[in-house]
Amino acid sequence: MNPLLAMTAGLTAGGTFALFGVLLTIMSRLGKVVNFSQVAVGVFAAFMAIRIVPKDMQPWGSLVVGMIVAMLLSVLIGFIVAKWLGDASVGARSAATVAILLGLYSLSNLLFGTHPQPVLPPFKGPLIQTDWINISQLAVVTTIAAIVVAVGTKLVLRYTMVGTRLRAVSDRQDAAELMGINVMGLQLGVWAVTGLIAGFGIAVVANIQASDASSMITIFIPSAAAALVGAFRRLDLAIIGGLGVGALQGLLTAFPALVLLKDWVPILVIVVFLLWTERKEVWDVAR
């Protein structure tokens, strides 16, 4: 296969990684939590939607229902974290979402099984296809969604009163409460919006990335790698990281001898980032 063709084909997955990388970064910045359950929430909601929405209303009906279910489930998780772990460390709050991830994973296996599900993707097929490149509709949709979410978040945080309050809660929660800011409401709002977008992200990639719940939940790993590229702070670098991981995975499929390394790309990105961060800290101490 042409390497350039393989790289552009990999952007289909890269757009998804970029979108969820942005969501993980938003939750880290505003929710003070690395939300390990983010993808699992979207997967559970998307697969629940195809069970309750009639086939003649799919895929758009299941897309809308999946987004709503994901939002409600995310708000429930956010309430648990904010109510009982409000004063806990970032590590403790993140660990709680790991437990929720494992619970949703087990529940998905019980309800949906490990077999492929009949999910109809709303966007399928190539948008641009030549002998040298292959850019799918899904790659464009998810990448645009990631950019819109990132830009929208920056604009809200910089130019709106809600954004000012969100930054206050993120920086000094106790002080924000003393100022009369509705901390719980703002935090649940962040969980609701990210849950809604997660439901959209999974609904549009279902049956393209994978067609069973267990496999789709593993999308979290490359998404976390994308967020790590931006150090869970930079939304733009999270997008670049997600697209880069997807493109590199696609590139490896062009070489039969290296194709088995494709799934190791996110792990390598995570390891390299952690080593670089540790090295930087050592240099800072030495100076």
Side-chain angles (χ1 to χ4, degrees):
M1 181 185 293
N2 186 321
L4 182 59
L5 184 65
M7 282 185 65
T8 54
L11 294 178
T12 299
T16 305
F17 304 155
L19 178 59
F20 278 96
V22 167
L23 294 181
L24 289 169
T25 302
I26 291 173
M27 287 303 303
S28 176
R29 289 179 57 181
L30 302 180
K32 293 298 182 181
V33 58
V34 179
N35 187 8
F36 289 92
S37 66
Q38 188 92 73
V39 176
V41 166
V43 171
F44 183 85
F47 279 78
M48 179 62 72
I50 67 172
R51 292 293 184 93
I52 62 179
V53 175
K55 289 186 178 181
D56 59 347
M57 296 180 62
Q58 297 186 22
W60 297 106
S62 58
L63 171 64
V64 174
V65 172
M67 291 173 66
I68 295 172
V69 172
M71 179 185 68
L72 295 176
L73 182 56
S74 185
V75 169
L76 176 60
I77 296 171
F79 177 80
I80 294 172
V81 172
K83 182 70 173 178
W84 286 287
L85 297 171
D87 297 327
S89 64
V90 174
R93 291 157 68 94
S94 301
T97 65
V98 174
I100 295 169
L101 163 65
L102 296 176
L104 289 174
Y105 179 83
S106 300
L107 188 59
S108 296
N109 284 337
L110 290 174
L111 294 178
F112 313 125
T114 57
H115 302 292
Q117 301 292 314
V119 184
L120 298 176
F123 305 101
K124 58 182 178 180
L127 182 66
I128 302 174
Q129 187 173 31
T130 68
D131 293 337
W132 293 95
I133 62 173
N134 182 11
I135 300 177
S136 67
Q137 296 181 38
L138 180 59
V140 175
V141 169
T142 52
T143 302
I144 290 176
I147 294 172
V148 169
V149 172
V151 173
T153 300
K154 279 189 171 293
L155 292 176
V156 169
L157 291 177
R158 183 171 297 181
Y159 297 111
T160 69
M161 182 61 69
V162 172
T164 301
R165 292 176 177 176
L166 281 171
R167 285 188 281 113
V169 172
S170 176
D171 293 338
R172 294 179 178 272
Q173 181 174 322
D174 293 338
E177 290 177 343
L178 293 175
M179 293 173 60
I181 295 176
N182 185 359
V183 173
M184 174 70 78
L186 289 173
Q187 290 180 338
L188 292 184
V190 173
W191 283 87
V193 172
T194 54
L196 189 74
I197 300 169
F200 169 81
I202 293 298
V204 298
V205 304
N207 220 18
I208 294 179
Q209 295 290 355
S211 53
D212 65 276
S214 300
S215 297
M216 291 192 70
I217 288 176
T218 61
I219 292 175
F220 173 81
I221 298 174
S223 301
L228 274 170
V229 171
F232 282 96
R233 301 294 301 175
R234 294 275 301 273
L235 296 173
D236 53 343
L237 292 182
I239 295 174
I240 294 172
L243 294 175
V245 168
L248 185 54
Q249 285 185 324
L251 177 63
L252 291 177
T253 62
F255 306 97
L258 301 176
V259 68
L260 294 179
L261 298 177
K262 177 173 71 74
D263 294 332
W264 285 89
V265 170
I267 304 298
L268 292 175
V269 171
I270 292 172
V271 170
V272 169
F273 173 83
L274 293 177
L275 290 175
W276 175 258
T277 303
E278 183 67 22
R279 186 179 183 184
K280 183 179 179 181
E281 291 178 354
V282 171
W283 284 352
D284 289 342
V285 172
R287 286 199 298 265

